[in-house]
């Protein structure tokens, strides 16, 4: 079985395909840093750095599975105020339709945030796929159910050239707690009570201490567990493209590090990422969790 990976990013879809025994023969992304990361980890694939809305699909090799993660920023509730560029981001989903129209890929898997279904053009997108002969089966999947130490709910649209939608028998794996990914003794710490620490941060930490004791997680920016912190005995909350999770250990704290975030996303320990933390965390925060992709592809193969 061969696959292609559109909007390939860090390569979570491709890494999951590798685990499932699926060969990814072609991958593309518009961001050079993402293409470099994907190439470093999957040199066997042919890579393209381009705007996929301008792609010549004749140059893409034949395949069995089209995997795609079009931009989510125009759909995500975390996007904040609606901005002009969100329309352009949402339109990237039409590249999937264009590729499917040319190749008639037997299976198309599209990953995005759950709010993708609230897009004004989502019914039109599904209708376009239907007119190409695809049955569309939405699956709302939490990565924690697949052994990833992170609660990360994402929409996966399983589109198949079949009369009826594919019925997938997905495994449900045991939860992995955040404490399993935290490297307590490997990274520098800062004192919580150092001068200049914001009163809001201190209130969050104090609330976390009351709820969980000396060791816990807290979002340094944004909402979600913001008032109470988060127990390290459960999966971490969703990682985003912004470095936002703080680790609290008694009187000291630090931000989650790249090696920990890599494990929180379900990537193998030797998976290569950019040297700059900002780029690495951005790629991880946008990625598909490889164990989820692997379980999906295995279930699709079983159902086919």
């Amino acid at each position: 079985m061969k696959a292609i990976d559109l909007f390939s990013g860090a390569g979570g879809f491709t890494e999951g395909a590798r685990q499932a025994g699926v060969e990814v023969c072609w991958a593309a992304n518009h961001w050079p840093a993402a293409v470099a990361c994907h190439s470093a980890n999957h040199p066997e694939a042919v890579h393209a750095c381009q705007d996929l809305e301008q792609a010549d699909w004749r140059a893409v090799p034949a395949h069995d599975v089209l995997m795609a993660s079009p931009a989510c920023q125009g759909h995500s509730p975390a996007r904040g105020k609606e901005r002009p560029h969100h329309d352009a981001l949402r339109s990237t989903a039409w590249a999937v339709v264009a590729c499917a129209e040319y190749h008639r890929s037997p299976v198309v898997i599209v990953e995005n945030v759950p709010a993708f279904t609230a897009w004004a053009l989502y019914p039109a997108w599904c209708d376009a796929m239907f007119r190409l002969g695809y049955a569309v089966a939405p699956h709302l999947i939490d990565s924690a159910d697949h052994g990833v130490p992170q609660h990360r709910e994402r929409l996966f649209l399983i589109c198949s050239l079949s009369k009826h939608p594919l019925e997938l028998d997905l495994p449900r794996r045991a939860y992995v707690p955040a404490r399993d990914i935290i490297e307590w003794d490997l990274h520098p710490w800062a004192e919580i009570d150092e001068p200049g620490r914001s009163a809001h941060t201190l209130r969050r930490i104090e609330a976390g201490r009351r709820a969980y004791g000396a060791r816990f997680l807290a979002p340094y920016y944004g909402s979600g567990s913001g008032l109470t912190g988060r127990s390290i005995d459960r999966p971490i909350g969703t990682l985003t493209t912004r470095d936002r999770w703080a680790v609290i250990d008694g009187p000291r704290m630090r931000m989650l590090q790249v090696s920990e975030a890599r494990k929180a996303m379900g990537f193998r320990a030797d998976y290569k990422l950019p040297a700059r933390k900002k780029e690495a965390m951005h790629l991880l925060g946008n990625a598909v969790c490889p164990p989820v992709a692997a379980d999906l592809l295995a279930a699709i193969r079983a159902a086919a």
Side-chain angles (χ1 to χ4, degrees):
M1 183 181 287
K2 291 188 176 183
I4 62 171
D5 192 348
L6 308 188
F7 311 99
S8 53
F13 249 146
T14 297
E15 182 67 9
R18 185 192 65 81
Q19 294 173 14
V22 175
E23 176 193 351
V24 174
C25 56
W26 190 86
N29 197 278
H30 72 286
W31 187 24
V35 176
C37 176
H38 197 286
S39 300
N41 292 285
H42 301 283
E44 70 284 353
V46 174
H47 291 85
C49 185
Q50 66 175 121
D51 176 359
L52 287 170
E53 293 179 275
Q54 306 297 323
D56 180 354
W57 301 113
R58 295 172 299 178
V60 176
H63 53 274
D64 307 293
V65 181
L66 188 169
M67 307 181 299
S69 296
C72 67
Q73 291 90 341
H75 304 287
S76 174
R79 72 189 182 205
K81 183 180 177 181
E82 177 71 14
R83 300 184 186 279
H85 73 281
H86 287 153
D87 281 339
L89 292 171
R90 286 188 286 264
S91 72
T92 58
W94 293 108
V96 180
V97 176
C99 183
E101 180 183 16
Y102 181 82
H103 282 280
R104 291 300 199 275
S105 319
V107 176
V108 176
I109 311 174
V110 177
E111 180 265 357
N112 214 289
V113 293
F116 185 78
T117 60
W119 179 30
L121 295 181
Y122 175 70
W125 188 94
C126 289
D127 184 63
M129 294 298 287
F130 175 76
R131 290 173 184 275
L132 293 178
Y134 289 93
V136 180
H139 289 67
L140 201 58
I141 296 176
D142 185 346
S143 60
D145 292 330
H146 294 265
V148 177
Q150 176 188 178
H151 280 299
R152 184 183 187 86
E153 194 173 63
R154 289 294 182 266
L155 174 72
F156 288 84
L157 301 174
I158 312 300
C159 311
S160 55
L161 286 176
S162 56
K163 185 175 180 181
H164 301 289
L166 288 182
E167 295 184 13
L168 301 184
D169 183 16
L170 292 171
R172 183 166 183 140
R173 308 187 188 280
Y175 281 178
V176 177
R179 68 165 60 250
D180 286 5
I181 69 166
I182 298 174
E183 300 161 347
W184 298 103
D185 301 319
L186 295 183
H187 308 287
W189 296 83
E191 293 298 315
I192 290 173
D193 293 329
E194 68 180 17
R197 188 78 68 193
S198 79
H200 187 57
T201 297
L202 293 173
R203 285 195 297 271
R204 286 185 176 189
I205 293 172
E206 186 55 38
R209 283 172 173 157
R210 290 195 298 268
Y212 306 114
R215 286 181 163 181
F216 59 96
L217 297 165
Y220 204 69
Y221 307 104
S223 58
S225 308
L227 298 179
T228 62
R230 190 178 188 92
S231 171
I232 58 173
D233 293 319
R234 60 184 293 202
I236 195 172
T238 302
L239 269 65
T240 67
T241 56
R242 191 175 185 187
D243 183 11
R244 65 184 290 262
W245 284 103
V247 183
I248 312 299
D249 182 23
R252 57 186 190 166
M253 69 182 294
R254 62 170 173 80
M255 301 305 292
L256 198 74
Q257 297 300 299
V258 171
S259 56
E260 297 165 317
R262 178 168 48 208
K263 290 187 285 187
M265 287 296 296
F267 282 88
R268 51 188 161 88
D270 62 348
Y271 201 84
K272 299 171 185 174
L273 292 164
R276 290 185 62 220
K277 185 182 183 185
K278 185 176 181 180
E279 285 188 355
M281 296 298 279
H282 187 96
L283 281 168
L284 288 170
N286 263 341
V288 174
C289 294
V292 176
D295 281 348
L296 274 172
L297 287 163
I300 289 168
R301 177 176 274 160

